Amino acid sequence: NVKRQVVSLLLIVHFAARAVCLPARIRCTISAIYAHFVERGFFYAAMQYWRKVRLLWRNLMRPIRDDIPPDADILVVGEAPGRQEELDNKPFVGTSGRLLFNDILSRAGIPRTRCASTNVVPVRPPNNDISRLHELELSIEEFLPKLEDIVRMREWKLILAVGETALQALTLTAGVTKQHGSLLFDRWRGLRVVPMIHPAAILRKYE
């Protein structure tokens, strides 16, 4: 609402005024207005609002691009990018991704060059926790049209659903532990989908 927007703007101006060389009279005036809003009880609401703004700015301004080699015929779908993916702007380049491609798929004779990779959610959720996506005022459902476009992009020989979120998004089926290694079909085209437990879950188990 308007009050939150005003207080958020004041927060920005308040801290900016402390960081730059403004005349003392102007800085005192800004601080006085800021203190007035704090006393009126708007401070907590403003901080909560500003936290959401910062999270949205950090995440939504940097969606992770998909990695789709021209000759790829296997689609790997994960949950959401992590810290390393955010830094490199590429899916599956963190610890879990290396375990998946350099160990699991490599032993199966599937090179990374044969795989396209994407995530159901292209932005990093708070603390890498998909259940906290709502804190960014986002939902998995709003990213499903993008995932459908990728599924329809070409005739994938196999779609690998990595983790519970990918499994549900692709097949409307829950329970990746139970479905691990089974053969399912995607919700849009009926292409073959093989679910697998997310490598991050494996790493957590043996930490």
Side-chain angles (χ1 to χ4, degrees):
N1 58 33
V2 175
K3 282 184 179 179
R4 286 188 175 186
Q5 293 174 359
V6 169
V7 178
S8 297
L9 179 59
L10 282 170
L11 282 170
I12 298 171
V13 175
H14 172 70
F15 290 115
R18 296 175 61 182
V20 299
C21 295
L22 290 176
R25 184 170 59 182
I26 296 177
R27 284 189 281 115
C28 288
T29 301
I30 293 172
S31 296
I33 296 172
Y34 171 78
H36 170 74
F37 276 91
V38 172
E39 291 171 1
R40 292 289 299 275
F42 299 143
F43 181 73
Y44 177 75
M47 289 299 294
Q48 293 295 102
Y49 179 80
W50 179 237
R51 180 172 175 271
K52 288 184 179 180
V53 170
R54 287 191 295 108
L55 285 170
L56 284 167
W57 176 263
R58 188 188 70 187
N59 290 279
L60 294 182
M61 294 299 104
R62 293 189 294 176
I64 306 304
R65 66 176 177 84
D66 304 311
D67 182 27
I68 306 180
D71 297 326
D73 59 0
I74 296 174
L75 176 61
V76 181
V77 181
E79 178 179 270
R83 181 177 181 275
Q84 194 61 49
E85 286 78 9
E86 189 177 50
L87 291 173
D88 292 356
N89 194 27
K90 185 178 180 180
F92 292 103
V93 293
T95 305
S96 297
R98 291 194 297 272
L99 175 59
L100 175 63
F101 282 100
N102 299 348
D103 192 348
I104 299 172
L105 293 182
S106 178
R107 290 187 181 188
I110 302 174
R112 182 156 192 158
T113 53
R114 190 182 168 187
C115 299
S117 54
T118 186
N119 285 294
V120 177
V121 177
V123 296
R124 183 185 176 192
N127 201 33
N128 294 345
D129 186 352
I130 199 71
S131 67
R132 295 178 60 186
L133 192 61
H134 67 278
E135 295 179 20
L136 302 179
E137 298 185 357
L138 297 173
S139 66
I140 292 173
E141 286 71 23
E142 59 193 278
F143 296 108
L144 293 180
K146 172 183 173 293
L147 180 61
E148 180 182 358
D149 288 342
I150 295 174
V151 170
R152 294 184 181 279
M153 183 179 293
R154 63 185 66 165
E155 200 69 25
W156 304 106
K157 290 184 177 179
L158 181 68
I159 301 175
L160 188 61
V162 184
E164 182 70 27
T165 300
L167 171 62
Q168 292 189 30
L170 286 164
T171 68
L172 298 175
T173 302
V176 69
T177 302
K178 180 180 179 180
Q179 300 293 342
H180 177 81
S182 62
L183 179 62
L184 303 175
F185 301 92
D186 87 88
R187 63 197 290 185
W188 297 293
R189 300 182 61 194
L191 299 178
R192 291 180 295 179
V193 176
V194 173
M196 69 168 290
I197 297 171
H198 200 288
I202 300 173
L203 291 170
R204 284 194 297 268
K205 182 175 181 180
Y206 292 102
E207 280 181 350

